[in-house]
Amino acid sequence: MYFLKSAFKSIRKNYLMTFASVFVLMACMLIIGSAYLCSANIGAFMEKLGENNEIVAYVDDAVEESHLASLQEEIEGIQYVESVEYVTKDEALAEYQSQFSEDASYLSWFYGDENPLRNEFRIQVNEDHLDEFEAVSAQIAAMEEIANVSDSQEVVNLLLSLRNVMNILGFWIMIILAVVSWFIVSNTIKLAMFNRRHEINIMKYVGATNAFIRTPFILEGVLIGLSAAILSFAVQWIVYVYLLQPLVSELSFVTTLSFSELSPMIILYFGSIGLLVGLVGSAFSINKYLKV
Amino acid sequence: MILFDDVYKSYHNGTNALNGVTFKIEDGEFVFIIGPSGAGKSTIIKLLMHEEVPTGGTVQVGEFDIKKMRSSKVPMLRRSMGVVFQDFRLIDTMTVFDNVAFAMRAVGCSPRTIRRRVPYVLGIVGLGHKAKNYPPELSGGEQQRVAMARALVNNPHLIIADEPTGNVDPEMAREMMELLNQINQNGTTVIVVTHDNTLVNEFNKRVVHIEKGRVVSDQVGGYYAKEE
């Protein structure tokens, strides 16, 4: 109780520096949180795309129906191919019509009752080998019986590189900000100790143990860290739910992950950063005035 | 019991503060340690408090051997003594009550004990009515008595007063000495470190005279008076 009172007293006395360190810590947490939210969303989007990492191979019209089974086997034999599905041109047409019911009328207007589509194979590439996607696609395209191939290669490549950049950037930003916030918190605590060096000195003279003197300052560091964590969480939540999600759904077809799905990790991140920085930042700055 | 046995102390800057100091103070004694400034008086206080460690010889304070003791025991050593510093070392932003209570909190007393003990000790030094004041609102003599109350509050075996007459007027100084005398009558060892001879002459007590880091005389009675 005395320790808590003492910590609060010090925060009150030193409120400018305390606010500064809370804000810097918040900035640190918000950047880390945002990086995490982005990366989680990209990850989820890629997963969706991965489920959809389809190569569509259109079969040349000249190929006999009896040959299709052996052709499918041949494609299944290619390395990294996960599964192959055969779709007849009638099935494809029906699917197309159901997906774009409004626009499908132009098909019959153009072609009458004739089906303009080709028989096709839908090929899934193993998710762990997405980097081989292009090779697989090229290999299938090279087959004599295949008229042409369409795939989502470019999108996959883009997302892969985006995620890599995000991961590397996020990592370094996190390291830099963690160092900065550690520095700020430890300086805040140092200042708090400097303000009370007189008191600390007298405490030493009347026989207070170092642990006794240290406790309020460590508590102060932890309070700074935890309040930054709580505030950051609130800000992150408001920005994500009330600003980012409506914006994204307005501008694109991408669906974002819900905040409640991501919040456990964010709480974990913010809480541990706040606690760690507060604890370490204060614990390391205290020894200077204890040597009496 | 306090024992200085052939104690040497030199600082890093090359100053030899003590050059073989030997004396012994029994429990319950009242001793003046006198000498001009620079004689080594404050070094003796620092050694007693384990603020410094002797370069040579032995300093024994009760059960503690200052040179050999573990630093984790230093708080225990300091709890066994109360020191009234020359500059009082009060905390200006705390009330008189808190200044005294703070010494009790630092050694882990319960709030209840503190609430009972602090007014009692403030009463002894005659400051019961000033408990809610802040140190800057008090006179020098009153501040000194707050420092005295803080030194007394944990019931130490030993009271050390560093230049108790340095920062207060003669009337206050005399009152302070009476108070120390009274505390001594109750069995507490009292060491008064000073360069003020009039004070020493007035009280017929044991006087350890230090000069240039050595004990030049150790006897009962006013040293300066004898010289004349």
Side-chain angles (χ1 to χ4, degrees), chain A residues 202-205 207 292, chain B residues 49 51 78-79 89 102 105:
Chain A
I202 296 165
M203 281 169 114
K204 290 287 294 188
Y205 280 129
V292 176
Chain B
M49 296 188 73
E51 207 181 319
R78 289 180 182 171
R79 284 172 200 193
R89 301 202 187 162
F102 155 89
R105 270 187 215 119

Side-chain angles (χ1 to χ4, degrees), chain A residues 18-81:
Chain A
T18 306
F19 279 142
S21 45
V22 167
F23 277 124
V24 172
L25 252 175
M26 273 179 71
C28 171
M29 288 174 181
L30 284 175
I31 289 180
I32 291 167
S34 306
Y36 167 70
L37 287 177
C38 282
S39 143
N41 269 306
I42 289 180
F45 186 61
M46 275 179 68
E47 215 164 275
K48 218 179 268 173
L49 217 73
E51 286 164 10
N52 207 0
N53 64 356
E54 210 171 51
I55 301 168
V56 182
Y58 299 101
V59 181
D60 197 303
D61 288 336
V63 175
E64 300 280 333
E65 294 226 2
S66 58
H67 184 52
L68 286 172
S70 64
L71 184 59
Q72 182 166 358
E73 262 172 49
E74 199 181 331
I75 294 171
E76 277 167 351
I78 295 172
Q79 207 181 0
Y80 305 126
V81 166

Side-chain angles (χ1 to χ4, degrees), chain A residues 3-15 17-19 21-22 25 185-196 213-228 274 277-279 281-283 286:
Chain A
F3 292 123
L4 218 76
K5 237 192 245 167
S6 180
F8 274 118
K9 191 176 136 194
S10 173
I11 287 173
R12 239 199 345 263
K13 220 166 157 185
N14 207 357
Y15 67 97
M17 201 59 190
T18 306
F19 279 142
S21 45
V22 167
L25 252 175
V185 169
S186 86
N187 262 308
T188 305
I189 300 298
K190 262 185 207 153
L191 195 69
M193 291 204 83
F194 179 79
N195 283 340
R196 295 173 67 185
I213 296 171
R214 247 189 223 128
T215 308
F217 293 102
I218 291 180
L219 216 59
E220 186 180 344
V222 170
L223 279 174
I224 288 174
L226 287 186
S227 44
V277 170
L279 212 65
S282 49
I286 295 179

Side-chain angles (χ1 to χ4, degrees), chain A residues 233-272:
Chain A
F233 183 80
V235 170
Q236 191 89 70
W237 178 67
I238 289 167
V239 168
Y240 190 76
V241 173
Y242 292 103
L243 235 81
L244 239 111
Q245 277 187 324
L247 200 71
V248 169
S249 65
E250 190 70 30
L251 294 181
S252 71
F253 64 95
V254 178
T255 49
T256 44
L257 295 169
S258 74
F259 191 72
S260 56
E261 211 174 316
L262 299 170
S263 54
M265 276 312 275
I266 290 185
I267 290 172
L268 188 74
Y269 278 144
F270 288 5
S272 51

Side-chain angles (χ1 to χ4, degrees), chain B residues 69-137:
Chain B
M69 69 190 290
R70 298 230 310 263
S71 60
S72 60
K73 291 272 185 227
V74 172
M76 291 304 142
L77 165 78
R78 289 180 182 171
R79 284 172 200 193
S80 73
M81 59 179 73
V83 182
V84 184
F85 296 98
Q86 185 175 4
D87 54 0
F88 315 142
R89 301 202 187 162
L90 302 176
I91 298 161
D92 287 348
T93 53
M94 284 186 184
T95 61
V96 166
F97 181 94
D98 281 331
N99 261 289
V100 179
F102 155 89
M104 291 186 79
R105 270 187 215 119
V107 300
C109 292
S110 74
R112 219 184 113 154
T113 319
I114 293 172
R115 273 198 303 276
R116 246 189 283 146
R117 172 87 179 151
V118 174
Y120 171 72
V121 177
L122 282 176
I124 292 178
V125 299
L127 282 177
H129 59 296
K130 299 270 187 178
K132 288 199 171 112
N133 286 77
Y134 289 86
E137 299 163 5

